Amino acid sequence: MIKASLLRNKEFLNKIDAAPGYYKWWCAKPELDVILNALGVDFSDIQQAIERKDNLYCVYVGIAAKESVRARLNWHVNDKHTASRVKNGTLSTLRQSISSIVAKNQYDKEATDSFIDKLHVEWFCIDSPIKSAEAKAKLYSVERNLLFDRLRILNIKDNLHPLAEPIKFKLKLLRKNSKLNVKK
């Protein structure tokens, strides 16, 4: 597990295998509190459902089956985050959620990058070719299990955890409203 800010260094980023896999995004309690407050969630209500490791909390999981984990993490961390990318919906879902939570404005690249830099990321590669049916099947299975096993607060799609529904509803609303807040 490493600080996400290290992935801004292309030399370090290029040390990540160019293989398919999955990844987890982690945050410390102060950042978790920012997320929970924006979503109207009380920590005591979700404390037992959220994965914890090394005083960090896992808030998002994702897979890279059609591209490498390196490329996927690069997209999350180093996206250009332009107005056209916001309008066209080509920002990563993680960036959309974070910008909606921390700035209430998906166009605010600076606030989004600043928050991402406080997060930690952990990745796992699998031994299958990128875009292969085998990689897709393995990784979709892993993702389903990760989303069912523990509450992933920032995941929307396929998040079927019993505590996720009201959180997803609020997050979708925040994202919709923050996309309307055009940067001046």
Side-chain angles (χ1 to χ4, degrees):
M1 191 179 319
I2 62 160
K3 290 276 287 184
S5 60
L6 291 174
L7 297 178
R8 295 199 186 282
N9 178 326
K10 295 293 183 190
E11 287 180 37
F12 187 85
L13 182 69
N14 288 334
K15 291 180 182 178
I16 298 173
D17 289 341
Y22 65 100
Y23 48 90
K24 295 180 176 183
W25 285 86
W26 300 81
C27 66
K29 185 70 164 66
E31 288 72 40
L32 179 63
D33 288 341
V34 168
I35 295 168
L36 295 178
N37 289 336
L39 296 172
V41 176
D42 190 303
F43 178 68
S44 63
D45 293 340
I46 58 100
Q47 183 175 3
Q48 298 304 316
I50 194 164
E51 184 178 3
R52 185 174 180 182
K53 183 196 298 190
D54 300 330
N55 292 319
L56 298 172
Y57 299 87
C58 184
V59 293
Y60 184 83
V61 297
I63 61 171
K66 299 175 186 174
E67 62 189 332
S68 70
V69 172
R70 177 194 313 155
R72 197 72 168 174
L73 293 176
N74 184 46
W75 180 49
H76 285 308
V77 175
N78 297 310
D79 189 279
K80 299 287 186 221
H81 200 126
T82 62
S84 66
R85 292 180 66 71
V86 173
K87 288 177 193 170
N88 296 329
T90 55
L91 279 183
S92 76
T93 58
L94 178 66
R95 288 186 79 83
Q96 289 177 41
S97 294
I98 288 173
S99 60
S100 299
I101 287 168
V102 300
K104 311 275 187 282
N105 183 338
Q106 284 192 26
Y107 296 86
D108 193 332
K109 178 185 185 326
E110 186 177 322
T112 305
D113 285 345
S114 177
F115 195 83
I116 284 174
D117 286 348
K118 296 175 186 175
L119 303 179
H120 293 77
V121 66
E122 180 178 32
W123 66 89
F124 309 86
C125 294
I126 64 167
D127 189 25
S128 297
I130 293 172
K131 296 183 181 179
S132 69
E134 178 186 3
K136 290 176 189 174
K138 282 182 186 177
L139 292 170
Y140 287 124
S141 176
V142 166
E143 186 177 42
R144 272 191 309 275
N145 290 335
L146 289 171
L147 289 170
F148 183 76
D149 179 49
R150 297 298 208 150
L151 176 62
R152 313 301 175 169
I153 296 167
L154 297 180
N155 282 87
I156 294 175
K157 185 180 176 194
D158 298 327
N159 189 349
L160 300 177
H161 190 277
L163 297 176
E165 207 52 45
I167 295 169
K168 291 188 320 185
F169 178 82
K170 178 69 175 187
L171 183 55
K172 286 178 188 179
L173 184 61
L174 278 175
R175 285 173 49 158
K176 179 182 175 188
N177 291 336
S178 70
K179 195 169 183 178
L180 301 175
N181 289 332
V182 179
K183 192 173 186 176
K184 295 177 173 129

